Amino acid sequence: AAQLGSTPDGRQRLTRELDRLHAAGLTHVRIMAASEGRPDATVPRPCEKWCNPTHGHCTWDQYPVNCACSGCGFCRSQAPELLDPKRLDAACRQGGSAQMEPPMQPRPGQYDDAVLHGLDFTLAMLLKRGMTATLCLNNMWQWSGGFAAYVAWATGQAPPIMRIDAKDQDWQAHQEFASRFYEVKKARELSYNHMRVLARRKNLATGNWYRDDPAIMAWQLANEPRALSRQRAYREWIGEAIGVLRREDCAHLVTVGSEGPSPWPSYVNNDLEADHQHADFMTIHVWPQNWNWYNPAKPNLNKAWDKAVKYIAAAVEAAHRKGKPLVIEEFGLARDGGDLSAGAATTERDDFVRRMCEHAAGKREVAGVAVWAWG
C-alpha cells in the first residue's frame, strides 16, 4: 500500500481498491509499513532499466546487447505467452529478485520520502472510509527485506540469494540467515529505530501523529517470525520489541504477527501462548496448499479443511487459556487447478473462504479473519 500510494497512478489504484473493500463491508486491512533495500542494491542490474511493461519483456530494440544482470523481476513475473524468446535473453529468465521495490528504507536510517508519503496517504484514505489497519514492521521473508536485510546491514555479510524460482534449500538457507536477527544486537537496534521513526511520525496527509492515529488499530512486530533454533533469543526479542513500541505509543494494540506452530512445530519452534505473553492479541495463518494439505492438481478440500479445523481449534484453546482474542489474519487457496491467470475459476477458493468465515464466526475467541491478499 505504501508503494502504491507513492505515485499518482498507484494512488488511483489504491483508492479504487479501498472503495471496493469498503463497499464489500471489510473494515480492516493489514499492510506492510516497512521495506528494506537489498544489500546489493548498488550493484548494476541493467535489465531493470530495460523493462517495458507495455510489451512485457526487455526492450531489446533499444538495447540490442546481451543481458548482463542475474535476472529481471518484472520479466520473470510475466505470463509465458508474453515472453518473446527473440527479445528476452535466457539469463533474464533464470529468476529475478523477488523483493518489493522501491524500499521504504533503502539503507539504515535513510528513507524514501515518496514511500513514507504513500503510507501517509493510505492511512488517510482508510480514515476517510472508517477503516483501520494493522501496520507490520518487519518480515521473516525476503520479499520486503526484513530480518535478512537488518542482519546484512549489521554484519556486512550478504544474505543468501533468493529469487522468484527459489528452491527448498534456498528457503532453508534464508531462514537460517534471517533468524540470526534475534541474536545480533545491532540488527535489532536498527529495526527499533524504524519503529521509533513511524511512531513519532506526523502524517502529512491528515496531521495526525502515528502514535495517536485512529486509522491504526495495531502494530505488528513482523510477518511470520519463526523461532527455529533460536527460541530463547526469539522470545527475548518479542519482549524487547514490544517494550520499545509501548514506550513510544500507548494508544494502539501490539501483536507479534505469528503464523502459529505451522505443520512443522518441531522445526518452526513457535508457541502461541509463550510467544504472545506480552501481546494484546494472538494471530495465526492457515495455508493448506503451502503446507501440503491441498494439491490444486488433485483437489480434496474436505481433507484440507479437516486439518485446518484442527489447527484453528488448537489456537482457539490457546487463546482461551490466555484470555486473549485470536485473529486468523492470513488464509488463502489457489485458483482451480493452480491456474494463475486472472480469468481462472475460483470454486475451491470460494468454498474455502466461505467455510473459514462461517467457522470463525462461531468461535467466541476469534475476533476476526482476513484473506491474503487483495489486489
Side-chain angles (χ1 to χ4, degrees):
Q3 277 74 13
L4 277 181
S6 68
T7 66
D9 288 346
R11 289 186 177 197
Q12 289 183 10
R13 174 181 166 184
L14 180 61
T15 299
R16 180 174 66 251
E17 294 191 351
L18 287 178
D19 282 342
R20 290 175 176 173
L21 287 167
H22 183 254
L26 278 77
T27 60
H28 185 80
V29 294
R30 172 173 168 254
I31 58 180
M32 285 304 299
S35 54
E36 296 72 34
R38 295 195 311 264
D40 63 347
T42 57
V43 177
R45 297 171 63 84
C47 254
E48 292 180 352
K49 297 188 296 184
W50 303 349
C51 289
N52 186 326
T54 301
H55 299 296
H57 51 61
C58 293
T59 52
W60 283 79
D61 290 342
Q62 186 176 357
Y63 298 94
V65 295
N66 287 334
C67 177
C69 72
S70 59
C72 163
F74 172 78
C75 292
R76 180 64 182 163
S77 69
Q78 301 309 297
E81 59 267 25
L82 294 180
L83 300 178
D84 182 348
K86 295 179 181 179
R87 297 191 173 197
L88 183 60
D89 183 80
C92 285
R93 294 198 298 271
Q94 290 176 358
S97 169
Q99 192 161 326
M100 62 193 293
E101 294 182 356
M104 181 181 289
Q105 191 180 185
R107 293 178 179 83
Q110 297 180 19
Y111 285 84
D112 185 326
D113 286 340
V115 180
L116 282 175
H117 295 163
L119 184 58
D120 291 346
F121 177 81
T122 301
L123 291 174
M125 292 301 98
L126 290 172
L127 186 63
K128 182 179 179 181
R129 291 161 180 76
M131 300 171 70
T132 59
T134 290
L135 299 188
C136 188
L137 298 169
N138 214 323
N139 199 351
M140 180 76 191
W141 308 115
Q142 84 296 340
W143 50 262
S144 70
F147 292 165
Y150 283 114
V151 172
W153 286 343
T155 65
Q157 299 171 0
I161 295 174
M162 288 292 291
R163 305 201 189 285
I164 293 170
D165 55 356
K167 303 297 188 293
D168 184 64
Q169 59 266 32
D170 300 320
W171 289 102
Q172 300 294 334
H174 169 78
Q175 290 182 79
E176 174 59 27
F177 185 90
S179 65
R180 291 173 57 193
F181 171 83
Y182 312 130
E183 297 177 340
V184 178
K185 182 177 180 180
K186 184 177 179 181
R188 298 196 312 273
E189 285 298 333
L190 288 173
S191 74
Y192 300 155
N193 288 340
H194 176 64
M195 292 179 176
R196 297 182 184 104
V197 165
L198 288 191
R200 298 173 185 178
R201 180 172 175 78
K202 186 175 184 178
N203 188 320
L204 299 182
T206 64
N208 293 327
W209 297 97
Y210 274 47
R211 60 177 176 265
D212 299 320
D213 198 327
I216 299 174
M217 184 193 82
W219 299 105
Q220 185 168 93
L221 301 189
N223 174 59
E224 297 188 337
R226 290 180 166 183
L228 302 179
S229 62
R230 297 176 167 91
Q231 194 173 58
R232 179 175 178 179
Y234 169 73
R235 298 249 172 79
E236 289 176 351
W237 160 70
I238 291 175
E240 191 175 66
I242 289 179
V244 170
L245 285 169
R246 299 264 195 234
R247 287 189 289 274
E248 296 292 333
D249 178 354
C250 59
H252 295 114
L253 303 173
V254 179
T255 193
V256 177
S258 175
E259 67 194 304
S262 85
W264 310 284
S266 61
Y267 170 71
V268 171
N269 272 324
N270 288 358
D271 182 302
L272 278 174
E273 293 186 58
D275 297 350
H276 291 86
Q277 181 67 32
H278 305 292
D280 293 307
F281 61 95
M282 300 169 122
T283 66
I284 58 168
H285 301 172
V286 185
W287 285 105
Q289 182 180 348
N290 298 21
W291 292 349
N292 299 321
W293 295 348
Y294 177 85
N295 182 354
K298 299 178 180 179
N300 186 336
L301 186 58
N302 287 334
K303 180 179 178 181
W305 178 246
D306 287 343
K307 291 180 178 293
V309 167
K310 291 178 182 178
Y311 191 77
I312 294 168
V316 166
E317 291 176 8
H320 181 76
R321 287 192 294 268
K322 297 298 292 185
K324 295 186 177 184
L326 172 70
V327 175
I328 305 172
E329 67 171 9
E330 272 192 37
F331 69 95
L333 203 69
R335 292 173 181 266
D336 292 0
D339 190 337
L340 297 177
S341 61
T346 59
T347 308
E348 296 284 301
R349 177 193 291 177
D350 293 346
D351 191 7
F352 180 56
V353 171
R354 177 187 57 78
R355 293 188 193 198
M356 183 67 76
C357 291
E358 291 179 352
H359 185 73
K363 304 295 180 183
R364 183 173 61 87
E365 292 83 358
V366 179
V369 296
V371 296
W372 176 283
W374 175 269

